[in-house]
């Protein structure tokens, strides 16, 4: 068992057995990562951990020994940064990446906010999708307004958008075998929140 600790611009790995024995707590490996860390994903399917940084999603190989003894620990391998700026869309950071049910796709919303905070309805929201196996990304339009954390299932990723013209729920197909993979296939109006945000 291994603990991966992200601390600022550094990640460290620790053998759980060593931690349970008490101090000193000596990392089994240390790696520098990008600044502005916020949110992470671990994919056992690809044996990689991903950290959201200002520059992009830092994807790190996790190398584990063949021995399953408690004293052994996994260590860090290669780090590759997958940028947020792809497909002609730029700005922002996916600060809340989540792993989809396929075990290899990291996804989240990126909001590019206007300089004027009163113009929050004009915040441009995108969906950023990373294949942690190939370390490639896609980015496409979600809509305008405020996008909260999304939910996911085997079939859908579900995003909500808050906007003065009306709140809505958007369903994104996340079945890789589907003909409509990564396309929005549903859009439903939501009842406005009580005392929710308004224009201006």
């Amino acid at each position: 068992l291994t603990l991966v600790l992200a601390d600022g611009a550094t990640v460290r790995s620790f053998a759980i057995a060593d931690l349970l024995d008490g101090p000193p707590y000596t990392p089994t490996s240390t790696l520098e990562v990008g600044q502005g860390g916020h949110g992470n994903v671990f994919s056992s399917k690809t044996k990689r951990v991903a950290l959201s940084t200002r520059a992009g999603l830092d994807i790190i190989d996790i190398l584990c020994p063949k021995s399953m003894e408690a004293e052994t620990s996994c260590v860090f391998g290669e780090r590759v940064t997958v940028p947020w700026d792809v497909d002609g869309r730029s700005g922002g950071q996916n600060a809340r990446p989540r792993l989809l049910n396929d075990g290899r796709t990291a996804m989240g919303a990126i909001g590019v906010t206007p300089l004027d905070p009163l113009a929050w309805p004009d915040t441009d929201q995108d969906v950023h999708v990373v294949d942690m196996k190939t370390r490639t990304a896609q980015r496409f339009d979600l809509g305008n307004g405020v996008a909260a954390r999304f939910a996911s299932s085997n079939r859908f990723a579900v995003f909500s958008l808050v906007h003065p013209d009306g709140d809505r729920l958007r369903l994104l197909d996340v079945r890789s075998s589907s003909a409509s993979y990564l396309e929005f296939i549903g859009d439903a109006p939501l009842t406005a929140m009580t005392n929710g945000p308004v224009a201006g």
Side-chain angles (χ1 to χ4, degrees):
L1 294 176
T2 302
L3 171 71
V4 174
L5 176 65
D7 181 16
T10 304
V11 290
R12 292 173 286 166
S13 64
F14 296 87
I16 296 294
D18 290 346
L19 297 178
L20 295 177
D21 285 341
Y25 303 118
T26 305
T28 54
S29 63
T30 302
L31 186 68
E32 298 300 312
V33 293
Q35 298 285 332
H38 193 294
N40 54 68
V41 167
F42 179 74
S43 165
S44 59
K45 190 169 188 175
T46 64
K47 296 181 175 61
R48 288 173 172 158
V49 62
L51 307 169
S52 173
T53 72
R54 281 195 288 269
L57 196 67
D58 277 1
I59 300 179
I60 304 165
D61 290 335
I62 303 294
L63 309 176
C64 296
K66 292 181 180 179
S67 170
M68 297 301 289
E69 297 176 8
E71 293 78 14
T72 62
S73 174
C74 303
V75 296
F76 300 127
E78 181 184 35
R79 172 178 68 100
V80 173
T81 302
V82 178
W84 305 126
D85 299 352
V86 292
D87 295 331
R89 306 183 74 84
S90 61
Q93 174 181 346
N94 175 12
R96 297 183 179 93
R98 298 184 70 171
L99 188 70
L100 296 186
N101 289 16
D102 65 6
R104 64 182 274 180
T105 305
M107 181 180 286
I110 296 180
V112 181
T113 56
L115 294 177
D116 179 3
L118 295 181
W120 67 267
D122 297 328
T123 300
D124 189 16
Q125 298 285 352
D126 291 340
V127 177
H128 189 271
V129 184
V130 176
D131 185 327
M132 290 184 60
K133 183 175 182 180
T134 62
R135 293 181 290 207
T136 56
Q138 300 177 59
R139 182 168 169 173
F140 49 89
D141 182 57
L142 172 61
N144 285 7
V146 175
R149 288 181 175 90
F150 75 99
S152 65
S153 69
N154 286 329
R155 297 185 63 188
F156 305 114
V158 184
F159 294 87
S160 62
L161 281 170
V162 177
H163 194 278
D165 293 342
D167 302 344
R168 59 184 177 143
L169 198 70
R170 306 204 70 193
L171 293 175
L172 183 70
D173 188 341
V174 294
R175 297 168 296 175
S176 58
S177 60
S178 171
S180 56
Y181 178 58
L182 296 184
E183 293 179 9
F184 289 105
I185 58 174
D187 204 315
L190 294 172
T191 303
M193 293 183 290
T194 303
N195 297 320
V198 297

